[in-house]
Amino acid sequence: MWEKKPILLLLLATAAILVGTIITVVLPFAWVNTEADRIETVTPYTALQQEGRDIYIREGCNNCHTQTVRPLVAEVLRYGDYSKSGEFVYDRPFLWGSKRTGPDLARLGGKYPDAWHYKHMASPRAMVPKTNMPDYGWLSANQLDPTMIKRKMDVLGFPYTSDELYSLADKNEMDALVAYMQKLGSDIPWRNAAATTIVGNLKNPYADSDHSTLEEWEPLYEENCEACHGEHFEGDIGPELDGASMEDTELFEIIYNGVPDNGMPPFAGLGADKVWQVVTFVKYYNQGEDH
Amino acid sequence: MKSTEYNYDIVRSFVNWSVLWGLVAVLVGVIVSFQMVDPRLNFPPYLTFGRLRPIHTNAGIYGWGVGVIFATFIYMVQRLCRTPLWSPKLARFQLWFFNATIIASAVTLLMGYTTSKEYHEMEWPIDVMVVILWVVFALNIIMTIIKRREEHMYISLWYMMASLVGVAILYLVNAAAVPVSLFKSYSAFAGTNDANVHWWFGHNAVAMALTAPPLAMFYYFLPKSTGVPIYSHRLSIIAFWSLLFMYLWTGAHHLLWTPVPDWIQTLAMGFSVMLIAPSWGSVINGYLSMNGQWHQMRENYLVKYLILGITFYGLQTIQGPMQAIRTFSAFIHYTDWVPAHIHMGTMGWVSMICFASIYYLVPRIYGKKLFSIPLANLQFWLILVGQLTWSFSLWIAGVLQAGMWTAMNPDGSLTYTFMETMVEMYPYWWIRSIGGLIYFVGVVVFIYNLVMTVRHGEIASTEAAAEGRA
């Protein structure tokens, strides 16, 4: 019968479409973003961070970077604590993405110092030689527009002060983007919870390696350390490395756990074995052939 | 009734423009694929991967896909209803408004005016244009159906009408936003809600724009090309209603393991697996319609396109549900496997059907014999090889990438850094680009064949052209 009545067919089709829609799309509004999944420490974006977020959207960063860590072992190890619904209540739009051409950024905030981001954005390949990320140094040339940002904050209903807006006039788009990067995923104190505790006595299994063995570990240094500490340990974003002045175990703890307050990320993800290799390389490489 | 009363002018225009946007979509796709292998090919601020990739996807969906929908629906609705188009003037307006919308989309996306929502990146003024366009189109189709002279509505008309309401509902809800200025708005939904609404849109845009319309074309152009009817009317009824009912539950399979409530994910997973049945209902109906006609695969290039197209639909609707299962999604999601899957659907299934439909239409709407069947066959092999190269390279890459992302050492640490996994992708990304290039050449051959048909094709009455299959 419906095959002869177009209006009936249209109504039936609409009904068929609406059943699944109401149950899986309309109904969830009763649970999601309510008090039930609110997290006390999650705050709205500041004017600078929100502008950074809009630049992230404008440049289509979400085409290559996701922003949600799944509760899977390898993923939590690689990126950090898994994402919670309450962390996204101020995100309009959501930026979870669908493809990781580059790494996930949900827990990027606080991982690196600001200086790392400025250098990396200006020339990603200077830091990570084989990356395919385009350069974004040109963002530094664009000043922010406080009037427009005020309108945005008003629409979003986020709190701001006039001093805060006033200070934006001296900032550029790169400042905003970096401020946003540092906010990502850092509203909950997951880093403390995720910090590893080293148990037992530490002993460098490679302490007696000869110089040629050390050279085999150079790529590890190049990939993980060189961008901040320089090609010859001379330092750049991070301090100059004078390995000889520290105990092996001290170096191990710094590299393994990082020094978050000083911008040194933890490298526990490399595994203890590789961290010992880096320790040995940093400490003994410059001490010459005798070791 | 004489075919001369049908309005073919507007069909011609839509065919021409959609083919142009299709060429743009494939060309930009090839360009962004090379940007992935060599970042020096990014030219900021406008020509970066982040800004060009949405132009590739939206030109493909809205320029090529929807353009062909406009062309074929306006043709099919007249033939199936045995009546001329309700309002040719409205259709003419629709054509120019369509092109204005596509151009406005491309320009604003290049400028960086984007909502970031995949396949719905255009900012709110363009959303308004899309809505006007769709309402005008739907009105014309529905009014033509209402004043039809054929009482019974054929299968293709059901899918067309479902597409008309489906796209309208999806697009309107997902477009909800609060404007800040002409070029900037914020989503009406936040965080997890926004994600859930968006992927309900994202997945069902595939259903309502890239599944129902190609099925409408398939159900019409297959019997027209082979000269024998669809195998089972009853099967097509079951497949239609169950497809329409089940699709809407599945959006959250794009969000497995995210903060979206578990029960929504589980429903999405279950319904995705169930969707195999209605999808394969159409596939099997297509195959069984070929009973005793399989020799036409050799003799009739249109049948070759249509049957390969429906075969890729079958493969797509097996692979999709597989990816929608939590355990497999945990492994494969976010890797290069996913674009390989999408491109089997777009380059294989949807575009194969669109190419076939246009090959069927052009001789009839221009009253000329196709310029070259050998060229049509050449194009078939180019796009088939191009697409398989594209998809297979990234399926392999995706499995490799997933394996490396999850590999762990005996001490519980990760085996590979992210960069170590990315470096492994480069050879596969190169092969993908080559696949894309082969496909691009196929599209160029297609356009050459069409242009030569229109310019130099042997003149024939539409009836004679209709006979000119072989």
Side-chain angles (χ1 to χ4, degrees):
Chain A
M1 176 180 97
W2 51 271
E3 289 176 70
K4 292 176 183 174
K5 295 195 185 314
I7 302 298
L8 179 66
L9 193 150
L10 284 170
L11 290 174
L12 287 173
T14 308
I17 286 170
L18 286 181
V19 178
T21 298
I22 289 168
I23 292 174
T24 64
V25 179
V26 181
L27 218 53
F29 278 85
W31 290 278
V32 177
N33 291 358
T34 59
E35 278 309 310
D37 55 15
R38 191 161 305 283
I39 300 173
E40 278 302 316
T41 53
V42 174
T43 54
Y45 296 97
T46 65
L48 188 64
Q49 290 164 349
Q50 180 61 40
E51 186 60 11
R53 192 170 198 271
D54 287 342
I55 291 161
Y56 182 97
I57 290 170
R58 186 188 72 195
E59 296 313 323
C61 305
N62 56 296
N63 285 292
C64 292
H65 294 283
T66 54
Q67 285 189 18
T68 175
V69 180
R70 299 177 292 176
L72 305 168
V73 177
E75 200 138 309
V76 171
L77 274 175
R78 188 178 298 283
Y79 300 115
D81 197 10
Y82 68 89
S83 298
K84 282 107 182 128
S85 185
E87 293 184 82
F88 301 98
V89 292
Y90 298 111
D91 285 15
R92 287 171 195 268
F94 80 110
L95 289 173
W96 294 355
S98 62
K99 170 80 173 27
R100 287 178 184 156
T101 301
D104 185 272
L105 303 181
R107 296 285 175 211
L108 187 63
K111 183 175 180 183
Y112 302 108
D114 287 356
W116 187 95
H117 284 290
Y118 280 95
K119 195 178 165 191
H120 178 259
M121 287 287 177
S123 178
R125 269 151 296 147
M127 311 285 279
V128 192
K130 288 166 185 163
T131 182
N132 62 354
M133 175 159 155
D135 300 348
Y136 284 96
W138 56 277
L139 291 175
S140 301
N142 298 345
Q143 290 305 116
L144 299 183
D145 173 5
T147 330
M148 183 63 188
I149 296 172
K150 182 179 184 304
R151 276 168 71 184
K152 289 177 172 181
M153 293 297 278
D154 288 338
V155 167
L156 289 165
F158 292 169
Y160 60 88
T161 63
S162 49
D163 284 352
E164 189 186 346
L165 282 179
Y166 187 73
S167 72
L168 294 178
D170 302 331
K171 306 245 194 252
N172 61 48
E173 292 186 343
M174 183 74 91
D175 300 326
L177 188 59
V178 172
Y180 173 58
M181 298 282 99
Q182 296 294 26
K183 160 91 167 170
L184 283 173
S186 59
D187 278 349
I188 60 170
W190 69 273
R191 278 188 199 280
N192 306 338
T196 42
T197 312
I198 297 165
V199 290
N201 288 326
L202 287 174
K203 188 176 183 307
N204 186 352
Y206 299 109
D208 299 325
S209 306
D210 57 27
H211 200 77
S212 60
T213 313
L214 291 182
E215 276 172 6
E216 286 172 29
W217 297 329
E218 197 169 354
L220 265 179
Y221 178 84
E222 286 169 356
E223 268 172 43
N224 297 293
C225 321
E226 196 180 292
C228 293
H229 295 287
E231 199 181 338
H232 307 289
F233 307 117
E234 72 275 18
D236 179 1
I237 290 168
E240 180 187 356
L241 299 179
D242 175 17
S245 66
M246 274 191 209
E247 292 297 315
D248 290 15
T249 50
E250 227 178 321
L251 267 173
F252 180 88
E253 285 183 36
I254 291 173
I255 298 171
Y256 197 81
N257 282 337
V259 190
D261 294 340
N262 282 340
M264 168 76 184
F267 286 89
L270 288 176
D273 197 50
K274 281 187 183 164
V275 172
W276 277 121
Q277 291 172 0
V278 175
V279 166
T280 315
F281 180 82
V282 168
K283 177 147 185 192
Y284 299 110
Y285 189 74
N286 269 0
Q287 295 183 16
E289 302 291 329
D290 59 315
H291 204 85
Chain B
M1 175 156 187
K2 289 267 166 59
S3 60
T4 46
E5 290 183 31
Y6 297 136
N7 187 326
Y8 288 161
D9 276 7
I10 195 68
V11 181
R12 281 181 216 151
S13 304
F14 274 118
V15 164
N16 299 346
W17 284 102
S18 65
V19 167
L20 176 72
W21 299 130
L23 183 73
V24 171
V26 179
L27 180 63
V28 177
V30 171
I31 291 170
V32 295
S33 80
F34 279 109
Q35 286 180 326
M36 277 181 76
V37 287
D38 190 342
R40 287 169 303 181
L41 296 173
N42 288 278
F43 301 99
Y46 305 112
L47 305 176
T48 56
F49 181 88
R51 291 199 189 181
L52 284 174
R53 190 243 174 193
I55 295 185
H56 162 62
T57 53
N58 288 303
I61 297 167
Y62 297 94
W64 165 239
V66 172
V68 177
I69 290 173
F70 288 162
T72 52
F73 278 26
I74 291 173
Y75 179 87
M76 288 190 290
V77 78
Q78 299 184 85
R79 302 291 306 207
L80 289 169
C81 295
R82 290 182 198 275
T83 186
L85 191 65
W86 178 64
S87 170
K89 276 188 185 155
L90 208 54
R92 190 50 63 179
F93 164 78
Q94 183 197 334
L95 172 77
W96 294 112
F97 204 67
F98 163 66
N99 287 319
T101 308
I102 299 299
I103 292 166
S105 302
V107 171
T108 54
L109 289 175
L110 272 183
M111 306 278 289
Y113 303 132
T114 170
T115 65
S116 85
K117 293 188 172 187
E118 258 184 300
Y119 319 128
H120 202 156
E121 280 93 346
M122 288 81 85
E123 265 296 351
W124 69 272
I126 296 184
D127 280 343
V128 174
M129 293 174 82
V130 172
V131 171
I132 294 172
L133 198 55
W134 199 259
V135 168
V136 164
F137 170 57
L139 185 68
N140 220 344
I141 297 291
I142 291 168
M143 288 310 290
T144 308
I145 294 174
I146 285 174
K147 67 180 193 79
R148 71 195 182 285
R149 294 190 210 169
E150 173 71 49
E151 191 187 17
H152 197 274
M153 296 186 293
Y154 180 65
I155 311 165
S156 297
L157 290 175
W158 319 339
Y159 278 104
M160 286 159 66
M161 282 191 270
S163 165
L164 294 179
V165 282
V167 170
I169 294 172
L170 292 162
Y171 203 88
L172 276 175
V173 173
N174 197 47
V178 185
V180 180
S181 70
L182 192 57
F183 300 114
K184 178 73 192 171
S185 64
Y186 289 113
S187 175
F189 320 110
T192 305
N193 277 328
D194 197 41
N196 193 43
V197 170
H198 176 71
W199 282 110
W200 162 80
F201 162 85
H203 191 69
N204 290 291
V206 173
M208 299 301 163
L210 302 180
T211 299
L215 283 174
M217 297 174 208
F218 178 77
Y219 276 113
Y220 180 83
F221 292 110
L222 183 75
K224 279 291 186 182
S225 302
T226 58
V228 292
I230 287 294
Y231 170 75
S232 165
H233 189 71
R234 185 177 300 177
L235 182 54
S236 57
I237 292 174
I238 295 169
F240 172 76
W241 286 108
S242 48
L243 184 95
L244 201 56
F245 176 75
M246 287 195 239
Y247 234 112
L248 283 297
W249 301 69
T250 60
H253 68 212
H254 289 255
L255 297 166
L256 297 178
W257 302 100
T258 69
V260 164
D262 267 355
W263 64 268
I264 306 177
Q265 299 180 27
T266 305
L267 275 176
M269 182 168 80
F271 273 84
S272 299
V273 173
M274 294 195 304
L275 260 178
I276 296 173
S279 308
W280 272 77
S282 289
V283 176
I284 287 168
N285 217 348
Y287 283 162
L288 292 180
S289 305
M290 292 293 288
N291 271 344
Q293 299 297 323
W294 286 102
H295 58 90
Q296 291 205 36
M297 284 290 279
R298 203 167 52 234
E299 299 153 2
N300 184 343
Y301 70 99
L302 287 175
V303 173
K304 208 157 60 184
Y305 275 92
L306 289 164
I307 291 298
L308 255 290
I310 203 75
T311 301
F312 282 123
Y313 177 56
L315 295 173
Q316 188 75 356
T317 52
I318 285 289
Q319 195 181 53
M322 191 171 81
Q323 292 163 207
I325 293 170
R326 272 203 184 88
T327 38
F328 193 61
S329 170
F331 186 67
I332 219 71
H333 197 38
Y334 306 124
T335 71
D336 277 284
W337 171 286
V338 179
H341 170 70
I342 298 161
H343 282 78
M344 173 165 69
T346 53
M347 296 163 99
W349 147 238
V350 180
S351 292
M352 278 268 189
I353 300 293
C354 290
F355 289 131
S357 304
I358 291 175
Y359 271 130
Y360 177 92
L361 286 181
V362 164
R364 285 160 181 84
I365 57 182
Y366 280 97
K368 303 220 174 139
K369 270 191 177 169
L370 187 71
F371 172 70
S372 167
I373 289 174
L375 277 183
N377 280 317
L378 173 67
Q379 186 213 342
F380 173 83
W381 290 106
L382 285 170
I383 61 171
L384 181 63
V385 170
Q387 180 244 312
L388 291 176
T389 308
W390 205 115
S391 289
F392 272 104
S393 60
L394 289 202
W395 280 322
I396 296 166
V399 172
L400 177 64
Q401 202 173 23
M404 291 180 85
W405 283 353
T406 48
M408 286 168 69
N409 298 318
D411 68 355
S413 60
L414 296 168
T415 310
Y416 303 101
T417 63
F418 189 87
M419 271 318 294
E420 284 174 309
T421 70
M422 185 203 268
V423 169
E424 294 297 320
M425 295 297 105
Y426 283 110
Y428 299 96
W429 285 342
W430 272 111
I431 298 169
R432 180 263 304 272
S433 289
I434 293 165
L437 269 179
I438 297 171
Y439 197 92
F440 178 74
V441 173
V443 176
V444 171
V445 169
F446 173 63
I447 293 175
Y448 175 77
N449 206 358
L450 295 186
V451 169
M452 292 304 281
T453 302
V454 174
R455 289 234 176 121
H456 307 291
E458 217 176 294
I459 295 176
S461 74
T462 47
E463 309 307 321
E467 300 299 315
R469 270 209 308 272

